[in-house]
Amino acid sequence: MKKVAVVEDEVYMREELCSILNKAGYAAFEVTTFENATEQLIALSPDLVILDLNLPETSGFQICRDFKRKTSIPILVLTSRDQMADELQALRLGADEYLTKPCRKERLLARIANTLKRYEGRTNLLEGKGFLLDRTTYTLYINNTSVVLPRNQGKLLEALLSAGEHLVTSEQLCIALWDTAEFIDENALHVNLTRLKKTMANLGMKQQVVTVRGLGYRLETENAP
Amino acid sequence: MKKVAVVEDEVYMREELCSILNKAGYAAFEVTTFENATEQLIALSPDLVILDLNLPETSGFQICRDFKRKTSIPILVLTSRDQMADELQALRLGADEYLTKPCRKERLLARIANTLKRYEGRTNLLEGKGFLLDRTTYTLYINNTSVVLPRNQGKLLEALLSAGEHLVTSEQLCIALWDTAEFIDENALHVNLTRLKKTMANLGMKQQVVTVRGLGYRLETENAP
DNA sequence: TCCCAACCTTACACCAACTGTAAGTGGTGT
DNA sequence: ACACCACTTACAGTTGGTGTAAGGTTGGGA
């Protein structure tokens, strides 16, 4: 059953929403304190967030941006603010839908279902500069096409990618590959790195693996020519 | 530059839209005859389609369904029909956005940008009941996880899926597998089908392969228990 | 009821792709 | 110039996908 988080300060509205969601077969969770709403949401890790914009103590916009920066969970903004500027702002900050109150429950449910559908399978995607990586299958999406990376190359790219563009030591990479660093096989690691570099180059990826002599490796974004 | 197709019968509206799109940095393409609109769209393969519902000779709903069955390109419905029933119907048939005319261009552009962003990397996904299939790599997305199908199983599932739930003959499946039906190897086909059935069962998929004796195969959706 | 064709299952052997090994090359700092 | 680290390449073992073939089931017509 899909989890939906409801971030709304007005009690009656919140309960009404939860009731609708539960009847429609979702598991609804209420967020009732807002100063650390983003952390609460991350801890809850729902499949979708319904977010009001007018909140006490903080702004819905703020939550929207913070949450989207850390997750790829969809956000549906449901608000009484009907100014276009608000809508544009919310969409720009990463909201996936923007509905204004009052909103009939059929429309709300249809939009929720629609949004969830489009996020199907998107849960395990890691985001790189100009590409996406599925951490489960190591399918790489780039330039409107996709390739399945060999397992080792996938693991390496995942390890590098989840470090942002920070340095990753050989040891960490060994653990990523073989779940142990006891008997580090530097050679095998280098071979696998070479292979990854080659396939990334062949795909024309914007990010490339850079070695930091004596320390480890990191991803680096190519400068525009 | 992203390609946007405009399916709209009213000349003034169409040109206006294209002008807005071009100014915003998209490459706009007009569709002006509608009886084979789906084929035209497929041939064009834009990054997004703007679709009117009231068209001569055919229905926007029809186009929406047909197009979504064959591609995973996003559709933004832009129509003067403001009845909720129309909106629900469009969303159910696979539309990604539903805007009613008149619509300010800022809102339209914001929604377009938003939709395109969320479709990044998803261009080759075929949609099944409760799962998605990447036609390039045969990565299967189901239940918040993903698996890469062996190539033959992927080809078979792709062939079955793109026929909706209609019948597919052995001959068609052979062509899908080996690009020829000259020397049909019924046996090898059956073995591959068995394998596909087994992996689908193991994944607990809602759709399953049903054989129609003497005619061929088709996908069937399991009834709820 | 029996029979035959269509279909399914299973096991096995071939083949392609990925992986680690190992030997040899390049390049960087002292 | 040397030592050390990093890279490249080739090769062989392993794994997993595929077609083949043989035997088992199913279903509809005589």
Side-chain angles (χ1 to χ4, degrees):
Chain A
M1 185 186 292
K2 299 278 186 184
K3 287 194 284 185
V4 177
V6 176
V7 183
E8 161 73 58
D9 62 322
E10 214 244 308
V11 181
Y12 179 74
M13 186 73 193
R14 192 170 66 222
E15 309 241 313
E16 170 81 10
L17 277 172
C18 287
S19 158
I20 291 173
L21 288 167
N22 285 325
K23 276 186 201 146
Y26 298 105
F29 295 89
E30 310 185 4
V31 172
T32 55
T33 60
F34 307 104
E35 44 191 290
N36 61 345
T38 307
E39 287 71 29
Q40 286 182 61
L41 288 173
I42 288 172
L44 182 61
S45 80
D47 297 285
L48 182 140
V49 175
I50 296 180
L51 179 65
D52 190 13
L53 287 182
N54 290 315
L55 296 171
E57 294 165 25
T58 184
S59 142
F61 290 122
Q62 185 77 35
I63 295 174
C64 192
R65 186 178 58 211
D66 291 351
F67 189 63
K68 271 295 177 182
R69 189 166 285 170
K70 304 202 170 164
T71 73
S72 63
I73 295 169
I75 295 179
L76 186 152
V77 170
L78 178 63
T79 182
S80 47
R81 296 208 196 190
D82 60 357
Q83 295 296 305
M84 171 118 60
D86 292 321
E87 178 172 344
L88 298 184
Q89 171 79 343
L91 292 176
R92 210 163 47 71
L93 291 180
D96 296 89
E97 279 285 355
Y98 190 97
L99 296 175
T100 51
K101 303 177 195 171
C103 174
R104 292 224 14 215
K105 74 173 189 211
E106 289 82 3
R107 167 174 284 136
L108 176 66
L109 289 173
R111 295 288 184 158
I112 290 174
N114 198 45
T115 306
L116 282 174
K117 198 166 112 215
R118 273 176 299 147
Y119 264 86
E120 240 172 43
R122 188 148 244 236
T123 31
N124 290 310
L125 293 188
L126 261 179
E127 203 164 309
K129 301 254 193 270
F131 67 94
L132 297 168
L133 178 71
D134 182 320
R135 337 165 81 112
T136 313
T137 59
Y138 305 120
T139 305
L140 183 62
Y141 292 89
I142 180 171
N143 288 337
N144 284 332
T145 185
S146 49
V147 190
V148 178
L149 294 181
R151 205 171 57 253
N152 283 356
Q153 292 181 41
K155 285 182 177 178
L156 287 177
L157 184 53
E158 180 189 3
L160 289 165
L161 207 49
S162 58
E165 298 209 329
H166 293 290
L167 187 122
V168 185
T169 65
S170 297
E171 196 178 336
Q172 290 173 302
L173 291 176
C174 282
I175 293 176
L177 277 183
W178 301 296
D179 287 325
T180 173
E182 276 191 35
F183 302 109
I184 299 187
D185 186 339
E186 290 271 342
N187 187 15
L189 175 62
H190 289 150
V191 172
N192 280 295
L193 274 168
T194 300
R195 287 169 181 155
L196 175 60
K197 284 184 192 177
K198 186 181 284 179
T199 78
M200 287 176 75
N202 287 342
L203 290 169
M205 291 174 63
K206 283 175 196 159
Q207 284 183 312
Q208 42 190 273
V209 179
V210 172
T211 98
V212 184
R213 198 179 174 81
L215 295 175
Y217 301 83
R218 63 183 180 79
L219 285 182
E220 186 173 287
T221 306
E222 243 174 29
N223 293 332
Chain B
M1 188 184 293
K2 299 277 186 185
K3 288 194 284 184
V4 176
V6 176
V7 184
E8 160 74 58
D9 61 322
E10 213 245 308
V11 181
Y12 179 74
M13 185 73 194
R14 193 169 65 222
E15 309 241 311
E16 171 79 10
L17 277 173
C18 287
S19 158
I20 290 174
L21 289 168
N22 285 327
K23 274 184 203 147
Y26 298 104
F29 295 89
E30 309 185 4
V31 172
T32 55
T33 60
F34 306 104
E35 44 192 289
N36 62 345
T38 307
E39 286 72 28
Q40 287 182 61
L41 287 174
I42 289 172
L44 182 60
S45 81
D47 297 286
L48 181 139
V49 175
I50 296 180
L51 179 65
D52 190 13
L53 287 182
N54 290 314
L55 297 171
E57 295 165 26
T58 183
S59 143
F61 289 122
Q62 184 80 34
I63 295 174
C64 192
R65 189 177 56 213
D66 292 350
F67 189 62
K68 271 294 177 180
R69 185 166 291 168
K70 305 205 168 159
T71 74
S72 62
I73 296 169
I75 295 178
L76 185 152
V77 170
L78 179 62
T79 182
S80 47
R81 295 207 196 190
D82 61 355
Q83 295 296 305
M84 171 122 60
D86 291 321
E87 177 173 343
L88 298 184
Q89 171 78 345
L91 291 176
R92 210 162 47 72
L93 292 179
D96 296 88
E97 279 286 353
Y98 191 97
L99 297 174
T100 51
K101 300 177 196 169
C103 175
R104 292 222 17 211
K105 76 173 187 206
E106 288 84 1
R107 168 173 282 136
L108 176 67
L109 289 173
R111 294 288 182 158
I112 290 174
N114 199 45
T115 306
L116 281 174
K117 180 150 155 263
R118 274 176 300 145
Y119 262 86
E120 244 171 38
R122 318 208 96 186
T123 30
N124 289 308
L125 294 188
L126 259 180
E127 205 166 306
K129 300 251 195 277
F131 67 93
L132 297 167
L133 178 71
D134 183 319
R135 335 167 83 119
T136 313
T137 59
Y138 304 121
T139 305
L140 182 62
Y141 291 89
I142 180 171
N143 288 336
N144 284 331
T145 185
S146 49
V147 190
V148 178
L149 294 181
R151 204 170 55 251
N152 282 355
Q153 293 180 40
K155 286 182 178 179
L156 286 177
L157 184 54
E158 180 189 4
L160 289 164
L161 208 49
S162 57
E165 298 211 328
H166 293 291
L167 188 122
V168 184
T169 65
S170 297
E171 197 178 333
Q172 291 174 298
L173 290 177
C174 283
I175 293 176
L177 277 183
W178 301 295
D179 288 324
T180 172
E182 275 190 35
F183 301 108
I184 299 187
D185 186 339
E186 290 270 341
N187 188 13
L189 174 62
H190 289 149
V191 172
N192 280 293
L193 274 168
T194 300
R195 287 170 180 155
L196 175 60
K197 285 184 190 177
K198 186 182 285 182
T199 80
M200 288 176 75
N202 287 342
L203 290 169
M205 291 175 62
K206 283 176 195 158
Q207 284 182 312
Q208 42 191 273
V209 179
V210 172
T211 97
V212 185
R213 200 182 172 79
L215 296 175
Y217 300 81
R218 63 185 180 78
L219 285 182
E220 186 174 288
T221 306
E222 243 176 29
N223 293 330

